[in-house]
Amino acid sequence: MTQVKTQVNPSTVIDARGARFSAAITTAVLATALATSNLWVIVAQAIVFAIGAFRGPQFTPYALIFKNIVKLRLKSAVVTEDVRPPQFAQSVGLLFALAAIAGSITGISGLFVVAVSFALAAAFLNAAFNFCLGCEMYLLLLRARKPQAS
Amino acid sequence: MIVLALASAYGFWYQRSRGVIKAKERAVVITAQMIGAPLGSRASLVQFSSAFCTPCRATRALLENVVEDLEDVVHIDIDAEDHLELVRQLNILSTPTTLILDSKGHEVGRAVGAPKREQVLNALAAIR
């Protein structure tokens, strides 16, 4: 019955269905970017990722479509989630999008393809399988960043 | 297309493997000192969580609820970020990861991802 809470403080919650809807649109946009190798598609997606990463995933254009159109038509119960996991995922998405833009501008098409592919895979997994990028990556990043004391 | 096919394969594996409690036999003995909280007299559920983790919240709610009815089992929620040495020592790769310990602190089971109530209850029932 003992509860020990070293957990982080509760923060803003958002509609989890919105985050998943956004991931579905992101998947379509990134698939288009990969299929057409079009720089401007990935630039547009990078802007969306940037809004999601810095302001919050509930403020992206995709989230606004969800809030103003899709949500009104949904009858299922609202499922909320902490805003930080999707915000983390948006930041990772932004990094991949920036890498893809860099690849496109410098003419390293391999970088563009690999970066967009990773972002596409993550967005697709999120939309289709409820994949939690922060769960899988954050701890590994921390472990890699802070080397062992010994 | 290849990207989506590979991602799908991984996705199916991901969905099937998350939350499944795997039996473990480990030499490492986890002490109250290591996790900063006393162990349960029969068993302990030690959960590792992080900030960027949606299923951690559901896991916490489930495990808190499970131990409510069990006098001799405790639930301990640990922020992985603050315990990186322990995380390395126990080879924890993602959150939530829940360790099931017996009274002596031996790890007898481990679930990566949000576990199912029934599985947790079964695993606890097997511990004397």
Side-chain angles (χ1 to χ4, degrees):
Chain A
M1 300 247 264
T2 321
Q3 304 289 338
V4 180
K5 285 180 185 161
T6 51
Q7 251 299 313
V8 279
N9 299 321
S11 71
T12 319
V13 291
I14 56 168
D15 193 329
R17 299 168 306 173
R20 221 163 153 182
F21 173 79
S22 300
I25 301 191
T26 306
T27 303
V29 172
L30 289 171
T32 308
L34 192 60
T36 61
S37 298
N38 188 312
L39 174 63
W40 298 109
V41 176
I42 199 73
V43 167
Q45 182 57 53
I47 293 167
V48 173
F49 278 143
I51 298 169
F54 293 110
R55 238 194 120 199
Q58 69 273 43
F59 299 111
T60 64
Y62 306 163
L64 295 181
I65 295 173
F66 175 79
K67 190 180 156 199
N68 295 315
I69 301 169
V70 181
K71 191 171 183 167
L72 308 174
R73 286 166 176 74
L74 286 179
K75 292 199 178 84
S76 60
V78 177
V79 190
T80 58
E81 72 173 324
D82 193 318
V83 74
R84 290 171 300 179
Q87 191 155 4
F88 175 82
Q90 295 283 307
S91 314
V92 174
L94 177 60
L95 288 180
F96 279 118
L98 291 177
I101 292 169
S104 184
I105 290 173
T106 55
I108 308 169
S109 61
L111 178 60
F112 178 88
V113 171
V114 169
V116 176
S117 296
F118 271 106
L120 171 60
F124 171 71
L125 283 169
N126 188 192
F129 297 96
N130 217 0
F131 177 72
C132 168
L133 189 69
C135 300
E136 305 301 320
M137 269 191 66
Y138 183 58
L139 202 51
L140 292 179
L141 285 177
L142 279 179
R143 286 180 62 157
R145 207 172 58 192
K146 296 182 187 164
Q148 223 150 352
S150 56
Chain B
M1 279 311 287
I2 298 166
V3 175
L4 294 182
L6 287 176
S8 297
Y10 175 77
F12 283 115
W13 172 82
Y14 175 82
Q15 261 188 347
R16 287 180 62 131
S17 63
R18 294 302 99 157
V20 175
I21 297 174
K22 291 200 174 127
K24 291 270 171 180
E25 282 203 26
R26 285 186 177 252
V28 185
V29 176
I30 297 164
T31 62
Q33 201 188 358
M34 282 161 78
I35 53 176
L39 297 177
S41 60
R42 179 166 62 96
S44 310
L45 301 169
V46 180
Q47 177 187 347
F48 286 83
S49 303
S50 67
F52 304 114
C53 165
T54 300
C56 289
R57 214 162 58 119
T59 304
R60 189 175 315 129
L62 168 71
L63 298 182
E64 278 178 3
N65 186 266
V66 163
V67 299
E68 229 167 64
D69 304 329
L70 302 166
E71 290 273 320
D72 47 4
V73 181
V74 297
H75 169 233
I76 299 152
D77 191 4
I78 294 177
D79 189 346
E81 188 163 359
D82 296 337
H83 297 79
L84 278 183
E85 285 310 310
L86 188 60
V87 161
R88 284 203 179 92
Q89 197 180 351
L90 299 172
N91 195 32
I92 287 159
L93 299 172
S94 67
T95 54
T97 293
T98 306
L99 311 184
I100 300 170
L101 309 182
D102 66 11
S103 60
K104 303 261 183 350
H106 293 286
E107 182 185 338
V108 294
R110 174 181 291 211
V112 177
K116 306 248 179 331
R117 171 184 293 271
E118 254 188 47
Q119 287 204 340
V120 175
L121 292 176
N122 287 342
L124 287 176
I127 301 173
R128 309 246 147 234

